[in-house]
Amino acid sequence: MTRRKLAALMVSLAAIAAVAVVVAATATAAAKPIVIGWAFDSKGAMAPFDNPALAAANVRVGQVNARGGVKGRPLKIVTCDTQGNKPAIASACAAKLLGQGVDIIFTTCDVDFAAPVVQKAINAGKLTVAPCIGTDQMGPKRFGPKGNLAFSFGNVAQDEGSAMAQYAWAKGWRSAALATDTVIVYFKDVVKAFKARFTQLGGKIVADESYQSLGSTSQQNVITKLNNAKADVVVTSTAGSFGALPQIVSGLRTLGNETPVLNSWAGDGTYWVTKEPKVTNYYYVTFASAFGDDPVPAVNTLAKKLGKATTASAGSSPARPRSTASLPPSIGRAVRRTASSSPRRWRSSRRSRRCRA
């Protein structure tokens, strides 16, 4: 199981619990179900993030319902597949879910792909939540006043990029070659934040290249430029499911370039790792609990309930997200403050880990 999937599983469990608190505050009917609409990408680029989140949510709903629901009202999830988050299909999904009388809508883990669903949902006055959108645009910044109904359990890209810069500096890396995936705003913001903090610390940017994933071949030229950059570290933000990550890492290693590659949370996991050449000197930012809890037993228990091979292995350097029990009680209160203009994130600390692929 990838670390990114693991994190999505854990935040989804917390998210469902938070939703139950929100709806319980206004529940009046004894038997009418609380309907959660879920717009997700089952097979596209966001599938590695969306599918585990939905699976965990279904487990949590079963647990809540087994205890009698929320004030006597059972929870119910209705879904709609956005089929790769195509805008027209995603918008139609939102309309379908709203037509089914949902009380809240969950959406995919990227604000660009989620925008059609978010816009439809908030226009209808529905609270809209993403398990792991990693940008400060999930809120009024992008969606205006109605964006006060839009939330995410993800950390902002600026935090990730800054943390990556601090980690690079602590490792003694004083020069960096940047490779920005321009396909979504989250990727761009991570690298931008890294550059700002790294240069502030005294680091030098020796190359600043860009490429586009998801079917593009633009990364081929970038690989050549990165190889010639003579940097202490190569920095990017992209996901294995977007296609560019395995090409960039394997491309550099094929050329005999062993420069460390530092990625954001988007590059968490090993599902994309190439067998030949072997992935080496690869780092990524992942969750770390402020409480020091180990999620592996909890995830293995969850995997058994899902009935799938999603167990975590301590020997493969698992991610360390906050467990459901470790998430602060303020989450429920934060969700209730849907009309506030406060920051749109519930934060957890992060650390960089080396991939032992």
Side-chain angles (χ1 to χ4, degrees), residues 164 167 171 173 233-234 236 245 249 253 258-265 267-268 272 279-286 352-355:
M164 290 163 65
Y167 181 77
K171 291 288 289 183
W173 300 330
V233 61
V234 171
T236 192
L245 182 57
V249 178
R253 299 303 178 248
E258 288 295 326
T259 303
V261 175
L262 179 59
N263 198 357
S264 65
W265 189 36
D268 198 344
W272 56 270
V279 173
T280 56
N281 282 336
Y282 174 77
Y283 298 77
Y284 55 87
V285 175
T286 189
S352 291
R353 280 191 180 274
R354 187 171 182 170
C355 176

Side-chain angles (χ1 to χ4, degrees), residues 86 141 156 164 200 204 225 229 242 251 255 257 299 311 345:
K86 299 177 180 67
K141 182 173 182 178
V156 292
M164 290 163 65
Q200 185 182 54
K204 182 179 180 181
K225 293 178 180 178
F242 281 62
L255 293 172
N257 189 320
V299 172
T311 54
R345 296 292 178 278

Side-chain angles (χ1 to χ4, degrees), residues 7-350:
L9 286 170
M10 302 307 257
V11 297
S12 293
L13 291 176
I16 293 298
V19 170
V21 173
V22 176
V23 184
T26 57
T28 55
K32 183 180 178 181
I34 297 165
V35 184
I36 302 167
W38 207 290
F40 74 109
D41 179 8
S42 71
K43 296 180 180 179
M46 298 304 296
F49 317 127
D50 288 2
N51 286 329
L54 177 57
N58 279 311
V59 170
R60 183 59 173 161
V61 163
Q63 293 172 341
V64 172
N65 288 342
R67 296 197 299 265
V70 179
K71 290 191 175 182
R73 298 178 62 185
L75 297 178
K76 177 183 178 182
I77 294 179
V78 295
T79 64
C80 187
D81 189 348
T82 59
Q83 301 176 38
N85 287 306
K86 299 177 180 67
I89 296 177
S91 182
C93 265
K96 177 183 177 181
L97 294 172
L98 291 168
Q100 292 176 286
V102 299
D103 297 294
I104 184 172
I105 286 184
F106 273 72
T107 186
T108 193
C109 279
D110 171 70
V111 74
D112 289 323
F113 293 139
V117 172
V118 175
Q119 197 67 68
K120 283 267 188 187
I122 62 178
N123 284 346
K126 300 297 181 181
L127 183 66
T128 309
V129 181
C132 54
I133 282 179
T135 170
D136 57 358
Q137 292 192 19
M138 185 59 171
K141 182 173 182 178
R142 179 164 185 152
F143 299 104
K146 291 182 179 180
N148 282 306
L149 288 169
F151 286 84
S152 174
F153 275 80
N155 284 356
V156 292
Q158 289 82 355
D159 287 353
E160 288 192 29
S162 297
M164 290 163 65
Q166 290 287 161
Y167 181 77
W169 190 259
K171 291 288 289 183
W173 300 330
R174 297 297 182 258
S175 61
L178 309 183
T180 304
D181 186 349
T182 60
V183 73
I184 57 175
V185 66
Y186 162 75
F187 293 158
K188 293 185 286 187
D189 283 353
V190 168
V191 179
K192 188 185 300 182
F194 175 92
K195 181 179 181 179
R197 181 57 180 156
F198 191 66
T199 54
Q200 185 182 54
L201 290 169
K204 182 179 180 181
I205 305 300
V206 296
D208 196 346
E209 306 298 332
S210 62
Y211 63 94
Q212 185 169 344
S213 57
L214 288 179
S216 173
T217 59
S218 58
Q219 55 265 26
Q220 296 301 327
N221 290 331
V222 170
I223 292 170
T224 301
K225 293 178 180 178
L226 294 176
N227 184 54
N228 296 328
K230 300 187 185 306
D232 292 333
V233 61
V234 171
V235 178
T236 192
S237 176
T238 191
S241 56
F242 281 62
L245 182 57
Q247 291 189 41
I248 289 176
V249 178
S250 63
L252 288 171
R253 299 303 178 248
T254 298
L255 293 172
N257 189 320
E258 288 295 326
T259 303
V261 175
L262 179 59
N263 198 357
S264 65
W265 189 36
D268 198 344
T270 58
Y271 66 98
W272 56 270
V273 170
T274 57
K275 293 182 179 180
E276 185 63 38
K278 187 176 181 180
V279 173
T280 56
N281 282 336
Y282 174 77
Y283 298 77
Y284 55 87
V285 175
T286 189
F287 275 102
S289 171
F291 297 88
D293 53 295
D294 187 350
V296 173
V299 172
N300 287 341
T301 299
L302 176 59
K304 290 179 181 179
K305 293 187 178 185
L306 293 175
K308 297 179 181 179
T310 55
T311 54
S313 168
S316 60
S317 185
R320 297 182 60 82
R322 290 178 184 261
S323 70
T324 306
S326 298
L327 284 162
S330 58
I331 287 180
R333 295 193 295 273
V335 177
R336 286 196 295 271
R337 293 199 297 268
T338 56
S340 71
S341 57
S342 56
R344 321 303 299 170
R345 296 292 178 278
W346 300 291
R347 299 173 183 271
S348 63
S349 59
R350 288 182 184 268

